[in-house]
Amino acid sequence: MHYLGSDICCFVLYHVARYRRKVVRDNLVQSFPEKSAQEIKKIEKQFYHNFCDLVAETLKLRRMNTAEVLQHVTLTNPELLETLSLKGRSVLLATQHSSNWEWLWQIQHTVSTHRHYAVYKRLENRFFDRKVFQLRTRFANGQEVMIEDRAVKDVMQRLEGATNAILLLGDQSPKGADTDYWTDFLHRDTCWYTGLEKLARKYDYAVVYAEMIRTQRGRYAVTFKLICEDPKTMGEGFIMEQYVRQVERFIQNQPDNWLWSHRRWKHSRKQQAS
């Protein structure tokens, strides 16, 4: 029934409301100049199907427990995180807005013996922000598990001494300032938040990329990839570059599973210079 609702929602969003069709099409055309118009349109349509599935699956979370979510999500190598936990290494889990990041958060605490947290950004609509927050913290049992993005440094300082795993979605568009990390990404000069690298260096957290791929409708597989265990020994920009390349490879392999409807390329270095 949820997927039937998703199919109806997809038809309305794509054909009737035409929700952000221009943004999605422009992002795809610019990111895949080698693809034909027919290939772009196929990716575009599948993106809207996946996006509506994400909404349906998130709504379904209200009546799912951890064991039920794990029936839909396969963890291919959880031993990587558990090995770091046994070493006493805290971890920043870096991922992106793809597949079903809400389900990933719901099963994150089953992966290792770390104390698990996730960084979030408040939604502009207070009603929906409260509902989403309640959904994301329903397994918390009164514990603090969500960290607001603007309070990350204060919370991480307070968490020192414990072995933690903190989930970050680092692919949002920052302000486009010179202090952001700029690099080529999907054929365009792109800016990135530098918080991932700065936090890893300051608090000596290992950095692990969490790749969540869609294997079929309602089924996902998560693979953890170590970016670095000792961030202070890495050169400046190494962590950010490795993270960006992982995200880029994911999108090239599963182009319809990224969140194309957001305005990712709002800024350019030329605009900043002027």
Side-chain angles (χ1 to χ4, degrees), residues 19 34 38-39 44 68 104 107 117 121 158 160 162 169 201 204 213 218 222 242 249-250 252 260 270 274:
Y19 174 71
E34 74 283 1
Q38 185 177 4
E39 290 174 312
E44 178 184 272
E68 289 172 321
L104 175 59
I107 53 92
Y117 303 86
K121 185 175 183 178
R158 179 157 44 85
E160 284 189 292
L169 282 77
R201 287 179 175 276
D204 196 27
I213 66 171
V222 179
Q242 291 300 308
R249 278 191 287 270
F250 169 85
Q252 290 168 341
W260 293 104
K270 291 181 180 180
S274 60

Side-chain angles (χ1 to χ4, degrees), residues 141-172:
N141 295 321
Q143 298 179 6
E144 177 186 40
V145 292
M146 303 300 295
I147 306 172
E148 193 173 354
D149 56 350
R150 56 188 176 185
V152 172
K153 291 182 180 180
D154 293 336
V155 174
M156 288 184 70
Q157 188 173 6
R158 179 157 44 85
L159 294 175
E160 284 189 292
T163 307
N164 312 301
I166 301 176
L167 182 68
L168 289 166
L169 282 77
D171 58 338
Q172 301 98 325

Side-chain angles (χ1 to χ4, degrees), residues 106-122:
Q106 295 294 328
I107 53 92
Q108 180 188 327
H109 65 282
T110 70
V111 179
S112 68
T113 51
H114 290 94
R115 293 173 58 183
H116 287 270
Y117 303 86
V119 177
Y120 78 100
K121 185 175 183 178
R122 288 195 180 200

Side-chain angles (χ1 to χ4, degrees), residues 36-53:
S36 67
Q38 185 177 4
E39 290 174 312
I40 292 293
K41 191 170 184 178
K42 181 179 179 181
I43 296 170
E44 178 184 272
K45 286 185 175 181
Q46 190 57 50
F47 157 72
Y48 278 93
H49 277 288
N50 294 343
F51 177 74
C52 291
D53 278 1

Side-chain angles (χ1 to χ4, degrees), residues 80-259:
L80 173 61
L81 283 190
E82 184 56 18
T83 298
L84 291 170
S85 179
L86 293 174
K87 289 181 179 179
R89 299 290 295 151
S90 289
V91 175
L92 288 176
L93 271 175
T95 190
Q96 68 275 330
H97 290 84
S98 61
S99 298
N100 191 326
W101 61 89
E102 295 292 345
W103 279 10
L104 175 59
W105 162 241
Q106 295 294 328
I107 53 92
Q108 180 188 327
H109 65 282
T110 70
V111 179
S112 68
T113 51
H114 290 94
R115 293 173 58 183
H116 287 270
Y117 303 86
V119 177
Y120 78 100
K121 185 175 183 178
R122 288 195 180 200
L123 301 176
E124 292 183 5
N125 185 293
R126 291 186 178 181
F127 174 80
F128 286 113
D129 179 72
R130 185 171 64 255
K131 291 298 182 182
V132 171
F133 186 84
Q134 291 172 350
L135 186 66
R136 290 171 172 172
T137 58
R138 64 199 183 97
F139 297 149
N141 295 321
Q143 298 179 6
E144 177 186 40
V145 292
M146 303 300 295
I147 306 172
E148 193 173 354
D149 56 350
R150 56 188 176 185
V152 172
K153 291 182 180 180
D154 293 336
V155 174
M156 288 184 70
Q157 188 173 6
R158 179 157 44 85
L159 294 175
E160 284 189 292
T163 307
N164 312 301
I166 301 176
L167 182 68
L168 289 166
L169 282 77
D171 58 338
Q172 301 98 325
S173 179
K175 295 181 179 180
D178 291 336
T179 54
D180 294 325
Y181 183 75
W182 290 84
T183 188
D184 182 73
F185 173 69
L186 295 175
H187 305 287
R188 278 180 281 185
D189 195 25
T190 309
C191 56
W192 299 77
Y193 283 111
T194 57
L196 175 64
E197 181 162 321
K198 288 180 177 178
L199 292 171
R201 287 179 175 276
K202 182 174 182 178
Y203 297 100
D204 196 27
Y205 274 47
V207 181
V208 173
Y209 173 68
E211 180 181 70
M212 188 180 198
I213 66 171
R214 186 188 302 266
T215 56
Q216 63 184 80
R217 194 175 201 183
R219 295 289 187 273
Y220 303 90
V222 179
T223 301
F224 300 104
K225 302 179 180 181
L226 182 66
I227 290 180
C228 71
E229 187 171 342
D230 299 303
K232 293 183 178 180
T233 65
M234 299 293 105
E236 186 176 353
F238 174 84
I239 294 173
M240 290 304 306
E241 190 64 24
Q242 291 300 308
Y243 169 67
V244 171
R245 294 308 139 219
Q246 293 287 357
V247 175
E248 186 174 56
R249 278 191 287 270
F250 169 85
I251 294 171
Q252 290 168 341
N253 290 332
Q254 286 205 328
D256 52 89
N257 270 317
W258 197 48
L259 192 61

